[in-house]
Amino acid sequence: MNNDFNDLTENEKNEVINLIKENKVIPKHYLYKMAKDNEDVFLFWNGRKEEITNVILPFHSIEHIDEPREEKQTLSMWDLFDPRGRQQQGWTNKLIWGDNKLILSSLINGPLREDIENEGGIKLIYIDPPFAVGADFSFNIKFEGDEVNKKPNILEEVAYRDTWGNGISSYLNMIYERIKLMYDLIADDGSIYVHCDYRVNSYLRIILDDIFGKEYFRNEIIWNYQTGSSKYYYARKHDIILFYTKGDNYIFNPDDIGTKRGDKIGHHMKKNIDKNGKIYWTIKSSGKIYKYYEDDLLVPEDVWSDISHMQQKDLKD
């Protein structure tokens, strides 16, 4: 890294020195010149730091949802599942409550890390981070004609300060550290899906490029839904899911998620039947003839329009 001011002119060097002496802010373009390396893009925001949390906190079992309340049975310490099917040990099938940063750190640095690695590691992470920059966790409740404003509790106030206290820089600090922890925890053949919307999409895309590498960006999935309208701009009808992998050898099973071509297209086209009795269509393009079979599997596209918005409900008479 270049720390010797070589990219600054003499006048710029003198200006920087004087600013430091006067305890004034150094312009950002000078900071870039002073700290740049071979990267094309210098990703920086107020408060960015490379250090991540490395605490190890114990996990306490609160409840086993599959545990019979009145049933006693002698079990072998070597059995992973007892005769009733209840899991006795291992790291899977756990709902962990707490600050996700501390949970991630404890999974990475604690005793469960070995169990996770021995089972092949975490293959998939999906996160749904906050969207609305500046949300303060308060909302209005209407009950029997009266309206009450629900104020945030102390935990929500702390979360608000940590996430939005200094605007977008607070958000970037919050999400950057957590995604770095996820990157450490995820297996080499694993993937991450990040749900967001127009408010933070651009920020998250750059953060993920920085941590996972832009070469491991796979898809920007458009989740289209029907709710939402406006008289002042085009109706915002979609969320975004960013899909990244940790490397090139990642798990993706198109045959398990594919749909038959015949279910998607071709109903308006003339069907043909080959000598084996299989239905197909032919398309001529750029002087070439292409043959498509009804049973061919199509990998889902990156625009999803068949999943309703999660808050959307049908009203019945």
Side-chain angles (χ1 to χ4, degrees), residues 1-147:
M1 185 171 288
N2 181 3
N3 291 318
D4 57 3
F5 297 1
N6 285 343
D7 286 325
L8 299 178
T9 66
E10 288 300 320
N11 289 336
E12 290 174 336
K13 293 176 186 177
N14 292 330
E15 184 178 350
V16 169
I17 292 171
N18 289 331
L19 289 171
I20 294 174
K21 288 180 178 179
E22 296 171 7
N23 196 30
K24 293 183 178 179
V25 176
I26 301 174
K28 292 180 181 178
H29 60 280
Y30 288 165
L31 293 175
Y32 174 74
K33 285 185 176 182
M34 293 162 57
K36 77 173 186 178
D37 52 22
N38 293 326
E39 293 285 340
D40 291 334
V41 177
F42 183 71
L43 184 59
F44 177 80
W45 61 86
N46 184 25
R48 170 172 171 164
K49 60 181 185 296
E50 296 302 317
E51 298 80 12
I52 61 174
T53 301
N54 60 3
V55 300
I56 305 174
L57 299 178
F59 295 134
H60 301 287
S61 178
I62 304 299
E63 181 182 6
H64 294 278
I65 62 172
D66 59 348
E67 179 179 10
R69 295 186 180 276
E70 297 180 359
E71 183 176 343
K72 294 182 180 179
Q73 192 166 350
T74 303
L75 304 173
S76 168
M77 64 178 292
W78 305 110
D79 292 333
L80 178 60
F81 293 91
D82 69 22
R84 298 163 299 180
R86 177 186 163 197
Q87 182 178 327
Q88 298 187 79
Q89 55 187 331
W91 68 276
T92 60
N93 296 326
K94 296 185 185 300
L95 179 62
I96 305 174
W97 181 86
D99 185 316
N100 54 19
K101 178 175 71 173
L102 301 179
I103 292 171
L104 288 166
S105 176
S106 300
L107 289 174
I108 290 170
N109 300 294
L112 279 179
R113 180 65 181 264
E114 184 176 356
D115 294 338
I116 293 173
E117 298 298 334
N118 288 341
E119 293 295 327
I122 292 178
K123 308 296 187 182
L124 175 65
I125 292 179
Y126 169 82
I127 63 172
D128 196 347
F131 291 177
V133 178
D136 64 359
F137 296 95
S138 65
F139 54 89
N140 294 326
I141 303 172
K142 290 185 178 181
F143 180 71
E144 295 184 352
D146 294 329
E147 186 170 295

Side-chain angles (χ1 to χ4, degrees), residues 82-282:
D82 69 22
R84 298 163 299 180
R86 177 186 163 197
Q87 182 178 327
Q88 298 187 79
Q89 55 187 331
W91 68 276
T92 60
N93 296 326
K94 296 185 185 300
L95 179 62
I96 305 174
W97 181 86
D99 185 316
N100 54 19
K101 178 175 71 173
L102 301 179
I103 292 171
L104 288 166
S105 176
S106 300
L107 289 174
I108 290 170
N109 300 294
L112 279 179
R113 180 65 181 264
E114 184 176 356
D115 294 338
I116 293 173
E117 298 298 334
N118 288 341
E119 293 295 327
I122 292 178
K123 308 296 187 182
L124 175 65
I125 292 179
Y126 169 82
I127 63 172
D128 196 347
F131 291 177
V133 178
D136 64 359
F137 296 95
S138 65
F139 54 89
N140 294 326
I141 303 172
K142 290 185 178 181
F143 180 71
E144 295 184 352
D146 294 329
E147 186 170 295
V148 178
N149 181 257
K150 187 269 181 188
K151 298 295 184 182
N153 60 39
I154 186 63
L155 291 177
E156 291 169 334
E157 288 180 356
V158 171
Y160 171 76
R161 289 197 299 269
D162 287 347
T163 308
W164 311 115
N166 292 322
I168 193 61
S169 61
S170 293
Y171 178 81
L172 295 177
N173 288 329
M174 180 278 295
I175 198 68
Y176 183 73
E177 182 176 11
R178 284 162 172 79
I179 292 181
K180 285 191 72 173
L181 287 166
M182 294 175 199
Y183 180 83
D184 188 351
L185 188 60
I186 200 169
D188 290 340
D189 57 351
S191 307
I192 186 170
Y193 291 76
V194 181
H195 180 202
C196 57
D197 72 356
Y198 68 92
R199 296 177 181 89
V200 293
N201 172 39
S202 57
Y203 299 108
L204 285 172
R205 177 76 179 267
I206 294 175
I207 292 290
L208 288 161
D209 279 352
D210 190 63
I211 295 174
F212 279 81
K214 59 182 180 295
E215 66 272 25
Y216 297 122
F217 165 77
R218 303 301 174 185
N219 282 109
E220 181 181 79
I221 299 167
I222 302 301
W223 173 19
N224 173 248
Y225 44 79
Q226 298 303 313
T227 57
S229 63
S230 173
K231 296 180 180 179
Y232 306 103
Y233 46 78
Y234 297 107
R236 293 165 179 160
K237 295 286 192 177
H238 75 276
D239 285 353
I240 297 155
I241 301 174
L242 299 171
F243 169 31
Y244 281 75
T245 62
K246 196 168 183 178
D248 287 323
N249 298 318
Y250 59 96
I251 298 172
F252 189 72
N253 300 312
D255 291 344
D256 294 333
I257 58 176
T259 56
K260 291 184 178 181
R261 184 183 299 275
D263 296 333
K264 297 281 288 186
I265 62 172
H267 297 292
H268 63 287
M269 301 171 63
K270 181 181 178 181
K271 295 182 179 180
N272 301 286
I273 301 177
D274 67 10
K275 61 181 181 181
N276 296 316
K278 293 185 177 182
I279 297 174
Y280 69 93
W281 299 271
T282 57

